[in-house]
Amino acid sequence: MSSIKIECVLPENCRCGESPVWEAATNSLLFVDIPARKVGRWDSLSKRVQYVTVDAPVSSVAIRKSGGYVATIGTKFCALNWDNHSTAILATVDTDKKNNRFNDGKVDPAGRYFAGTMAEETAPAVLERHQGALYSLFPNHHVEKYFDQVDISNGLDWSLDHKIFYYIDSLSYSVDAFDYDLQTGKIANRRSVYKLEKEEQIPDGMCIDVEGKLWVACYNGGRVIRLDPETGKRLQTVKLPVENTTSCCFGGKDYSEMFVTTAQDGLTSECVMKQPEAGGIFKV
Ligand SMILES: O=C(O)[C@H](O)[C@@H](O)[C@H](O)[C@H](O)CO
Ligand SMILES: [Zn+2]
C-alpha cells in the first residue's frame, strides 16, 4: 500500500463540519457546518470558500439535477439557490417533535434524498434517545418514512449494484445493511455488517469506494476506517490529527482523493490547543 498523505486543506474550525459532497462540475467540495447554520463551497482550484447562511441547523447538502442544491435544514427538506442565497421548503418531517432536527443525508441513484433525524444534542452524543426517524424525499416531493426509534441518524450509502443500503444509527455502534429496491425505494431485512471496537468510538458519516468497501468516519476516534461489508472485517485505519472526524467522501481529480470533515464542538479549550486543525477539512 502506498503511503498516505493527510493535509488540512481548509483550516476552517467548523463547529460541526459534515456532509462533504464533491461537485465535479465546479471542482468544489460542498459541506455544512451544522450548528453554525452554514453551507460551504470550497473551490479546490482557487482554494476559496463561499458560504450561504440559512435560518436553522443545516445537516446535509446534495446536488440538485435541476440546478442549485437541496439541503436538510432543521426538520425541512429544502431547495437551496446558491446565487441569491434563498431556500424553498420542499417538505417538513417530525412536525410533532419540536426538539428534532435532520442529521446526515444523501441522494440515492434514482434521485431520492434519504435523511434521518435526531433530537438536538446538549453535548456531542448527549440527547434524548429514540426520537429520530429515517425518511426519503422522492423526486415528486413525496416523503417516505422508513422507521423510527433512531438515536442519531447518520452515515448512509448504497452498494455499487444499488441492491444494498448501508446505514448508521451512531449510538448502536454498528454499521447496518438493508436489501434495497432501487425501483421502489423500499428497504428490508436489516442486519449488522460491522460493530465498532471501543477505540473506534462513535460511527458517524460514511461513503463507499469503487471496490464496494465502506469508509466510516469515527467521531471522537480521530480516524476513518475501511470495512469489507461482506466479511465484516476492518481492512484499514487512517488516523487524522484531530479527534472529531465526522464524515468522508471521494472527490478531486478522478475521485482519487478523500475529503474528511471534522468538528470542534465538544472539545475543551485545552484540546483545541492540542488540535488546532479541529473543525478543518482534510484531504487524504
Ligand atoms: O455530525 C453528526 O452527525 C452529528 O450531528 C454530530 O452531532 C455527531 O455525530 C455526534 O455528536 C456524535 O455522535
Ligand atoms: Zn454525521
Side-chain angles (χ1 to χ4, degrees):
M1 191 146 307
S2 60
S3 76
I4 289 175
K5 189 175 148 209
I6 297 171
E7 181 191 351
C8 181
V9 288
L10 186 59
E12 268 307 291
N13 304 121
C14 286
R15 287 184 55 196
C16 184
E18 258 287 353
S19 187
V21 175
W22 182 253
E23 186 178 50
T26 60
N27 289 300
S28 298
L29 185 78
L30 302 165
F31 62 96
V32 299
D33 184 345
I34 302 175
R37 305 181 170 199
K38 293 196 296 193
V39 182
R41 188 169 78 183
W42 174 73
D43 184 323
S44 67
L45 303 178
S46 71
K47 314 283 179 210
R48 277 206 287 265
V49 62
Q50 293 177 300
Y51 284 106
V52 170
T53 301
V54 296
D55 62 3
V58 54
S59 60
S60 73
V61 62
I63 297 165
R64 195 177 190 199
K65 206 174 183 181
S66 55
Y69 306 110
V70 278
T72 48
I73 303 176
T75 52
K76 297 173 167 58
F77 284 108
C78 296
L80 170 65
N81 182 320
W82 194 260
D83 300 320
N84 66 15
H85 293 198
S86 67
T87 57
I89 300 168
L90 303 175
T92 306
V93 303
D94 287 359
T95 46
D96 55 330
K97 298 212 159 141
K98 296 297 168 209
N99 191 39
N100 271 23
R101 65 161 171 85
F102 266 119
N103 200 35
D104 209 351
K106 196 173 274 177
V107 178
D108 86 350
R112 301 179 192 95
Y113 191 175
F114 275 65
T117 57
M118 61 188 275
E120 192 53 273
E121 296 169 305
T122 50
V126 181
L127 77 174
E128 191 185 345
R129 298 192 62 168
H130 311 309
Q131 299 304 302
L134 180 70
Y135 297 95
S136 80
L137 176 73
F138 281 49
N140 66 4
H141 299 186
H142 159 76
V143 174
E144 182 91 13
K145 181 176 182 174
Y146 295 98
F147 50 80
D148 52 20
Q149 300 298 314
V150 175
D151 288 324
I152 300 181
S153 191
N154 237 320
L156 59 180
D157 215 335
W158 289 264
S159 62
L160 302 180
D161 64 5
H162 311 151
K163 288 188 176 150
I164 302 172
F165 170 62
Y166 296 108
Y167 178 72
I168 291 170
D169 178 350
S170 291
L171 298 190
S172 72
Y173 298 91
S174 168
V175 180
D176 290 351
F178 295 80
D179 298 339
Y180 192 61
D181 184 341
L182 186 64
Q183 288 292 324
T184 61
K186 297 257 184 273
I187 60 175
N189 185 24
R190 186 173 189 163
R191 63 261 181 198
S192 174
V193 294
Y194 185 80
K195 291 269 187 206
L196 272 83
E197 285 171 20
K198 203 164 187 340
E199 61 162 33
E200 293 170 338
Q201 298 285 337
I202 304 175
D204 199 327
M206 142 170 83
C207 68
I208 194 158
D209 67 24
V210 287
E211 292 173 1
K213 311 294 189 250
L214 300 173
W215 288 85
V216 177
C218 300
Y219 190 91
N220 212 16
R223 68 191 71 191
V224 288
I225 52 176
R226 185 177 190 236
L227 309 176
D228 185 336
E230 273 162 23
T231 61
K233 294 265 185 299
R234 185 187 59 237
L235 304 170
Q236 197 178 346
T237 298
V238 177
K239 292 201 177 167
L240 282 91
V242 296
E243 255 167 65
N244 293 337
T245 33
T246 54
S247 192
C248 49
C249 79
F250 286 95
K253 193 171 176 291
D254 305 325
Y255 287 84
S256 61
E257 297 160 338
M258 175 183 277
F259 292 95
V260 182
T261 50
T262 71
Q264 198 182 63
D265 270 12
L267 294 178
T268 61
S269 48
E270 207 180 318
C271 284
V272 174
M273 287 217 306
K274 284 190 206 135
Q275 307 169 35
E277 295 168 323
I281 292 175
F282 290 80
K283 188 169 87 176
V284 176

